Amino acid sequence: MRPHPISARFVFVVLLSASFASAAEDGWNVWFSAPARKMEKARVPISNDGTRTPLAEEARRFDFLESLPTGNGRLGAMDCGGTGLLRVILNESTVWSGGPYEANQKDAWESLPEIRRRLFEGDVAGANALVEKHFRWAEGTKRFDKTQFGCYQTLGDLVVKFDGDGEAKNYRRALDLRTGVITTRFEQGGVTFTRELVVPKNEEVITLRLSADKPGALSFLATLARPAQADTRADGDHFIMEGQLTFDWPGGEGLRYQAVLGAKAKGGTLETTNDGLRVSKADEVVLIVSAGTDMKAGGKDFTALVRERLAAALATPFDKMRDAAAADHASLMDRCRLDLPETDAAKLPTPERVQRAKKTPDPALDALYFQFGRHLLVSSSRADSQLPANLQGIWAEETDTPWRGDFHSNINLQMNYWPAEPTGLSECHLPLLRFIRDTAEAGKATAKAYYNAPGWLCFHTQNPWGYTAPSNTSAGSGSTCGAWLAQHIWLHFETARDVDFLREYYPVMKEACRFFLATLIEEPERGRLVTSPSNSPENSYFIEPKDGGKPQRHTLTYGATYDQQILRDLFANTAAAATLLGTDSELAAKLDEARGKLAPTRTGSDGRILEWIKEYKEAEPKHRHVSHLWGLHPGREITAATPVLFEGARRTLEARGDASTGWSMAWKSNFWARLRDGDRSHRLLNLLITRSAPNLFCLHPPFQIDGNFGGTAAVSEMLLQSQEVDPAGGPVIDLLPALPSVWPEGSVTGLRARGGAKVDVTWKNGELVKAVVTPEFDGPFTVRSGEKKRRVEGSRGRQVEFDASL
C-alpha cells in the first residue's frame, strides 16, 4: 500500500492560539475546504458477502487518508465529507476476526541447549535451522493468519445519499482537537447545510446531526454498509447491519457484531426501508449508530446493550450529547497546552503550508501536530477501553488491515503510549497496562513451552486473546518484548505515584524477572549474562563463514544490545518496586547482582554503539529499527553522565541517517532530544510531519499511528525531560533540554515529570523566562536549565517558581 499524492482539491488550515474563545480558535482545528477526494476505485474492494450496492461502492471511493478522525476510546468515526454523498467510516475497537487457540509449540524448549551451543560456537546457520524448526508456532496452526490469529477490521460505513446535487460553495470540514467534534458547513442551492459528528462517551454511540438554514431542505437515504461479512435489514424504526467474522479453528466461533442505525427528525417524514432510512423534506435530522460485539460479553446478549444505548441516545437532545462530549474530551485535552509562534504560513492551505514547512519553519504547525497526537490518544484509548490502541489506533477501513492491525510489541505498541504520561493523559495509559497484565498471564504457558521456565514472556505480536507465541522465527525469536512492556508499569507509577496501582501490577514485573533469572546464560568469551537466542528487532548482519565463501546474512544472535539494555532497566525498576513495597528483599538482591553481570553496552572500532554481541558487518546500515539505542530512549542508561556511550549514540544516529519510515523518524526525533540536540530533533519531527498523509496520519507507509504518538512524545522531550535522578534519588526536572532554534519563544503548561510533578514553562529568545513546578510528592527534587540547577525540598501540591537564574 502506498500513500497517494496530496490532492490540490482540498485545503486544510490550522492556526495556533492559547485562546479557545477567540477568532484564533483555529489553533485547535484541522480543517479541509473540500470533501475527501474520490479515487478512481476503492482502495478496499467489496467481497461477495459484503454490501455490494452501487451506493456502497461509490462511497468507498472517498479517500480514508483525507478523512477527519475522532472517537471515544471504543468507537471511532472518520468523516470523509461529501456534499451529495457522505461517507463516515465507523469503527468499534473489538471488531476482530480470529479467536483464542493454542499456538505454543509444545516442548520447544528441548531444542534450546543445542541452539545455544551452536550460537556460542559460531554455527549461526545451524542454530537458525533449529529455531526455524522448533521456535515457531504450533504444528497445525497458521502463521499470523487473518482467520486464526485474527485481524482488526472496520465496522463499516455510514453512507448518506442526498437528493439532488450541485456545486458547493464556502465548504469547511473541521475537526476541533480540543472537543473532538467534527463540523462541516457549506452552501448549496441557496441553502447553508451544517453537519456535526460526535462520539459521546456517556451515550457510547456515534451521532451525526444534519441541519439546514431553510425548512424542508433535507431529503436523503442513510444506510450502513460493510465490505465483507455483512447482512442488513430493516427492523421497526431502525436499520441493522450485523454479521459474524471468521475463526478458522475446530469448534471455534467467530466474533459477532451488530450496528444499528436510528434517527429522529424535525419536520418532514422518516421511513425505514430495506435499503436504509429514508428522510424527506426535513428541517433537521439526527442519525445515531449504536454498535457492539460479543467480545468480552460474558455470554450475555450484547445486542440488547446495543439497542439500549441507541434508545437512550435517541431520547437525549443532540445539543446535550454534543456539549457533554465536548466537555469530556476537553477535560483531557486542556491538561496540556502548547503555544508556539505563528507565521503567515498559518493562513495557507495545508498542502502549501506543509510543503513550505520543508524549507521554512512553521512552529504553529509543530504545536498542532503535538495536539493532534494527544487527540488521537484520547479518542482511541480511555480508562475503560477494552483494548489498547493498535497499529491504527481504532481507525480502519479494511477487513484485512496492514499487519493485521495488531499489537506489535517490539516498539510499536509501546510507542503508542509514549505521550500518555508526559502530556497529562495518564488514565489513557490504563488499557495498555491491563493488556500487559493479561498478556503476562497468557505468557506463562509460552515461557514453559519455549524455555521450560517460570514467569512469563511474549514474542512480538499480540492479539486480543492472549497470543504470546512466535509469529516469526529467527527474526522474531527475541524474548524481551514483554520486559519492554513491563517498563510501562513503572513509567505509570513514576508519574502517578499510585502505590496501590504498583502493588497490583508488581507481580507482572516480578514474574518477568523470574523468567529471565531462570533463562539468562553466561556467554563463553567474557562470562557475562546474556539472552539466548536473541535478535535486534527485524535487523540483520553478515558473518564470514569459517571455511570461507559468501558472507551469510543472519538475524539470530545471543545477547543483542537491545535485550541487555531492557533487562538492566527491568531489573532496576523491579528491585526499586520491591523495596518501595517492602517485599521480596531476596529477589531484589538477586536482581541487583544479575544486573551487574549482564553484558554491557559497548562501542565498536568506529565509536558507534554495537548492535550485536560482536562487531558484525551490518546488512542494512540505514535500517528503520535503531534498537541498540533503547538505553538512550525510552531507557535511561545512556546520558551525559556516560560520555563514551553518549557520543557513541550520536555517531550511531549519524550513520543511520534521518529519512526512514514514519515511526522510525519519530523515534529518532526522541533520540536526538535525549542527546540535547533540539535542531536535529526538530529536523526529524519536520520530516515526520511533511511526509504525513493529508489528514496528518503517520505513513509507514501505509498508515500506522505509532508515528503520530511518537512525534507528540518527541515534542514533550524537547521541552521537558526527567529520566535522570539526583544523588539523593530525587527526580531531575530538566527544563528546555533540547529547545529547537525555530521555537525562539513560547510556553507550555501541564507537562508531567517523573516522580509526579506538573511543569509549566515560558521562554523567550531561546532562554527560560519562568517555570512553575508543582510536585505531587513530599521530598527533594532538582530543577535544571542548561548548566544551572537548583535543588528543592518539595511539598505535595505546593508550587515552586523558577526564573532564568533558577
Side-chain angles (χ1 to χ4, degrees), residues 485-505:
L485 286 171
Q487 185 204 30
H488 281 255
I489 296 171
W490 188 247
L491 290 175
H492 181 71
F493 169 72
E494 279 195 307
T495 305
R497 307 302 295 178
D498 184 343
V499 176
D500 289 338
F501 162 83
L502 184 62
R503 186 173 290 108
E504 179 183 355
Y505 279 82

Side-chain angles (χ1 to χ4, degrees), residues 259-415:
V260 184
L261 173 63
K264 53 185 177 181
K266 292 182 180 178
T269 61
L270 172 61
E271 177 187 5
T272 305
T273 74
N274 288 327
D275 296 322
L277 303 183
R278 163 61 66 180
V279 173
S280 298
K281 297 183 178 180
D283 307 331
E284 176 184 300
V285 181
V286 177
L287 298 175
I288 298 175
V289 178
S290 181
T293 77
D294 63 358
M295 183 185 289
K296 302 187 179 183
K300 297 180 181 178
D301 179 13
F302 76 96
T303 65
L305 181 58
V306 171
R307 290 171 179 271
E308 287 171 14
R309 287 170 169 162
L310 179 62
L314 286 169
T316 304
F318 177 85
D319 286 347
K320 181 178 180 180
M321 282 193 290
R322 179 201 58 204
D323 293 349
D328 171 61
H329 199 85
S331 70
L332 295 170
M333 294 297 295
D334 282 348
R335 291 179 184 173
C336 184
R337 301 175 71 101
L338 175 61
D339 186 8
L340 294 177
E342 183 181 285
T343 71
D344 61 356
K347 301 175 183 178
L348 294 174
T350 291
E352 295 178 29
R353 183 179 185 182
V354 171
Q355 290 301 314
R356 178 185 283 195
K358 292 180 179 180
K359 297 182 179 180
T360 305
D362 185 353
L365 181 62
D366 302 333
L368 173 81
Y369 193 82
F370 171 78
Q371 295 293 11
F372 183 63
R374 295 183 69 242
H375 161 78
L376 293 176
L377 189 57
V378 170
S379 296
S380 63
S381 185
R382 289 295 196 95
D384 63 348
S385 294
Q386 291 181 300
L387 294 171
N390 61 47
L391 282 173
Q392 299 201 182
I394 54 172
W395 297 281
E397 67 168 345
E398 307 95 335
T399 56
D400 192 2
T401 312
W403 297 287
R404 306 296 183 232
D406 77 345
F407 308 102
H408 259 51
S409 56
N410 65 358
I411 183 173
N412 314 93
L413 178 58
Q414 291 91 332
M415 184 182 283

